């Protein structure tokens, strides 16, 4: 199994380019099932999750060609309706084929995604939305089995105990575009990835209004056509490199970082003492003073993203004072705490709140990545830790960061990937 070895101490300098957004391209790929015609998707990151989604589409009988960040997908009259366990279990986002399969085939069988290290991940909101549109949904033998004749538009309230749901909103949009009449989603997720999905579907001939706000209106259309679309840059990857610049007291330009997608992260960096220079398609981060302690609470967009919580914890573990990090999306998403403490951090957990007492320095250690964002957090900690940090189980990283080792090395990090 591969490991990443980081020798800490180098201050990062230079430019790094952000890849396309993983969490945009996955639902966009599902949307290609809504038309038999060819769709071209550009700016596609080469990630394990994207490869898994391509496998699911091929399993359904769809033609997919992926080369140099460009995907050609032509679903034609594909015959499949099943997303099997061996593919779905490696990637929860595969649940977003449910809405498209129902819309296009009137039938879907998608394996339940199963446990997840970031906490329980219910799917009740997905099912509630699809049932409201007229689907019959049952859970049998580990599969979600859904059928419908013709889906019908309706009003659907999609808020849950932790606020809106990104993929439930995507699933309902995907199911509603070809439904009869108008669907109104209330308490819809406002994440940029939902806006990107709606833009793609509208280019295909869909009629979606209000994406990016809590009320999304979808007028059903009879058919959609093929189109070309470039996915937005990955805001979480951008945020991760901004923290890399700040944590190493460096000077890093993150090309493709969009201020309008990163408000809460940028605010956290500024308040904690980093200097930011913001341009339309690029953000430069610098830091030469102390890191000030912060209070961070993760919330649905435009609040602070849960997908940046672990990376900020690494950063704040070196702050001057005590930071409080509260997780309001996935209250158990703290597997990285124990690993950061092995590196000398002083973090205690009280329920879904982490109390991070800033320490003078971190020290390199052997640590284990537990999930995608935790892997990134451990690498960030390794960049400033004294001595060598060895991160194992880095396959998690391959799910969501394209060429992270190469990108960090180009900024001057002493980092390598080994196979043993
Ligand atoms: N929730 C429910 N019922 C549901 C669905 C969700 O109660 O039916 C709850 C969840 O348990 C959670 C909250 O709603 O407390 C929000 O979860 P959401 O459904 O928005 O998460 P998701 O759509 O499954 C996406 C991203 C995650 C990201 C979350 C939150 C994709 C492919 N995944 O997941 O990304 O953390 O939104 O922003 O878009 C990652 O990239 O590392 C990652 C985990």
């Amino acid at each position: 199994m591969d490991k990443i070895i980081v020798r800490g101490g180098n201050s990062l300098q230079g430019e790094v380019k952000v890849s396309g957004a993983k969490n945009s391209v996955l639902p966009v790929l599902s949307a290609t099932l809504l038309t038999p015609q060819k769709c071209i998707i550009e700016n596609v990151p080469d990630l394990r999750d994207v490869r898994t989604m391509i496998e699911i589409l091929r399993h359904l009988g769809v033609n997919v060609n992926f080369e140099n960040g460009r995907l050609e997908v032509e679903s034609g009259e594909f015959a499949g309706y099943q997303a099997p366990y061996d593919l779905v279990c490696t990637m929860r986002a595969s649940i977003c084929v449910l809405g498209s399969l129902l819309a296009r085939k009137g039938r879907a069988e998608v394996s339940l995604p199963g446990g997840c290290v970031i906490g329980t991940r219910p799917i009740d909101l997905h099912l509630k939305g699809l049932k409201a549109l007229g689907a019959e949904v049952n859970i049998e033998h580990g599969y979600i089995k859904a059928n419908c004749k013709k889906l019908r538009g309706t009003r659907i309230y999609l808020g849950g105990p932790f606020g809106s749901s990104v993929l439930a909103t995507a699933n309902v949009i995907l199911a509603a575009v070809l439904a009869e009449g108008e669907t109104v989603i209330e308490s819809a997720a406002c994440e940029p990835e939902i806006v990107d999905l709606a833009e793609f579907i509208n280019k295909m001939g869909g009629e979606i209004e209000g994406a990016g706000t809590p009320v999304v209106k979808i007028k059903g259309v009879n058919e959609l056509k093929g189109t070309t679309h470039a996915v937005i840059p990955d805001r979480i990857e951008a945020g991760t490199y901004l923290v890399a610049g700040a944590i190493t007291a460096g000077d890093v330009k993150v090309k493709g970082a969009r201020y309008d997608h990163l408000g809460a992260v940028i605010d956290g960096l500024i308040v904690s003492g980093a200097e930011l220079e913001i341009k339309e398609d690029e953000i430069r981060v610098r830091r030469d003073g102390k890191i000030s302690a912060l209070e961070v609470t993760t919330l649905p967009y435009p609040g602070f993203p849960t997908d940046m919580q672990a990376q900020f914890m690494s950063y704040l573990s070196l702050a001057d004072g005590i930071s409080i990090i509260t997780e309001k999306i996935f209250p158990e998403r703290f597997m990285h705490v124990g690993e950061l403490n092995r590196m000398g951090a002083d973090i205690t957990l009280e329920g879904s709140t982490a109390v991070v007492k800033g320490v003078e320095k971190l020290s390199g250690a052997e640590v284990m990545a537990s999930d995608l964002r935790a892997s990134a957090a451990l690498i960030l900690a390794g960049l400033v830790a004294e001595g060598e940090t060895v991160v194992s189980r880095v396959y998690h990283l391959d799910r969501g960061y394209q060429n992270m080792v190469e990108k960090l090395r180009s900024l001057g990090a002493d980092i390598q990937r080994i196979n043993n």
Side-chain angles (χ1 to χ4, degrees):
M1 244 191 249
D2 287 9
K3 290 183 177 172
I4 289 176
I5 301 179
V6 197
R7 286 176 205 88
N10 294 1
S11 149
L12 300 192
Q13 311 280 331
E15 264 183 34
V16 64
K17 189 170 179 300
V18 174
S19 301
K22 164 180 87 78
N23 292 346
S24 253
V25 78
L26 298 173
V28 161
L29 270 175
S30 174
T32 63
L33 295 173
L34 296 171
T35 175
Q37 296 180 15
K38 187 190 278 187
C39 293
I40 295 171
I41 320 293
E42 294 166 341
N43 200 28
V44 177
D46 192 353
L47 300 170
R48 195 156 62 90
D49 279 6
V50 173
R51 299 262 172 193
T52 303
M53 193 66 173
I54 292 172
E55 281 318 302
I56 291 174
L57 296 188
R58 288 191 175 135
H59 179 87
L60 293 168
V62 172
N63 264 326
V64 188
N65 186 27
F66 183 29
E67 252 176 313
N68 302 324
R70 188 174 186 271
L71 265 165
E72 282 184 16
V73 189
E74 188 168 355
S75 83
E77 296 307 321
F78 71 93
Y81 57 87
Q82 214 184 34
Y85 178 71
D86 57 335
L87 293 172
V88 173
C89 70
T90 65
M91 187 187 70
R92 231 197 90 88
S94 16
I95 195 170
C96 68
V97 294
L98 196 55
S100 308
L101 284 175
L102 267 179
R104 187 74 199 287
K105 309 292 304 174
R107 181 172 188 192
E109 290 188 6
V110 177
S111 171
L112 279 165
C116 175
V117 74
I118 69 179
T120 46
R121 307 210 28 201
I123 52 156
D124 55 310
L125 298 172
H126 299 245
L127 305 189
K128 175 185 176 185
L130 298 175
K131 282 181 188 166
L133 290 169
E136 192 190 315
V137 187
N138 294 299
I139 309 282
E140 282 169 27
H141 311 296
Y143 276 78
I144 307 157
K145 296 192 175 177
N147 290 286
C148 64
K149 293 230 154 58
K150 179 80 188 158
L151 294 173
R152 287 209 164 72
T154 184
R155 287 188 93 82
I156 305 171
Y157 177 77
L158 262 194
F162 298 95
S164 53
S165 160
V166 181
L167 287 178
T169 302
N171 248 333
V172 173
I173 290 176
L174 291 163
V177 251
L178 294 174
E180 213 173 274
E182 187 178 79
T183 300
V184 178
I185 306 177
E186 285 166 356
S187 198
C190 302
E191 270 69 2
E193 293 75 19
I194 294 294
V195 178
D196 204 26
L197 174 67
E199 274 177 15
F200 175 60
I201 295 174
N202 284 347
K203 283 187 194 168
M204 296 168 86
E207 290 192 28
I208 305 172
E209 266 178 36
T213 76
V215 180
V216 177
K217 290 187 181 159
I218 306 130
K219 268 198 202 127
V221 296
N222 287 332
E223 56 178 19
L224 295 170
K225 56 182 193 310
T227 188
T228 299
H229 182 73
V231 296
I232 53 171
D234 195 306
R235 65 193 164 101
I236 304 301
E237 191 197 9
T240 303
Y241 289 117
L242 288 174
V243 175
I247 199 172
T248 61
D251 181 353
V252 172
K253 270 188 199 161
V254 184
K255 300 281 221 189
R258 280 178 53 176
Y259 173 74
D260 54 334
H261 292 170
L262 282 161
V265 170
I266 286 170
D267 184 64
L269 287 169
I270 292 173
V271 176
S272 64
E275 262 178 69
L276 276 93
E277 216 177 281
I278 294 161
K279 296 195 179 148
E280 202 182 321
D281 191 35
E282 164 191 309
I283 300 176
R284 177 177 181 186
V285 64
R286 272 176 295 180
R287 182 179 67 81
D288 48 25
K290 286 191 297 202
I291 302 172
S292 305
L294 284 186
E295 278 191 34
V296 176
T297 301
T298 67
L299 289 169
Y301 189 84
F304 190 93
T306 172
D307 292 343
M308 283 299 298
Q309 181 255 104
Q311 299 90 314
F312 254 64
M313 195 176 291
S314 298
Y315 174 56
L316 294 175
S317 68
L318 290 165
D320 186 25
I322 301 177
S323 301
I324 305 289
I325 302 181
T326 303
E327 182 50 76
K328 290 221 168 157
I329 306 290
F330 297 116
E332 296 160 42
R333 191 177 200 175
F334 286 116
M335 298 289 279
H336 42 284
V337 168
E339 301 303 298
L340 287 174
N341 283 345
R342 296 194 70 246
M343 297 178 73
D346 183 353
I347 308 166
T348 45
L349 273 181
E350 289 171 15
S352 56
T353 295
V355 178
V356 186
K357 288 193 188 135
V359 293
E360 288 283 313
K361 59 181 172 72
L362 296 173
S363 72
E366 284 182 53
V367 288
M368 206 177 272
S370 53
D371 77 75
L372 169 57
R373 307 305 170 186
S375 325
L378 294 175
I379 290 172
L380 291 178
L383 291 174
V384 275
E386 248 176 37
E388 194 172 274
T389 297
V390 182
V391 186
S392 55
R393 303 208 176 158
V394 293
Y395 51 85
H396 291 292
L397 199 71
D398 302 333
R399 290 192 35 225
Y401 288 92
Q402 181 170 321
N403 300 336
M404 191 186 211
V405 168
E406 292 74 12
K407 286 185 184 182
L408 286 174
R409 205 183 296 132
S410 78
L411 294 172
D414 185 346
I415 182 168
Q416 57 175 314
R417 186 169 176 138
I418 55 159
N419 184 280
N420 74 344

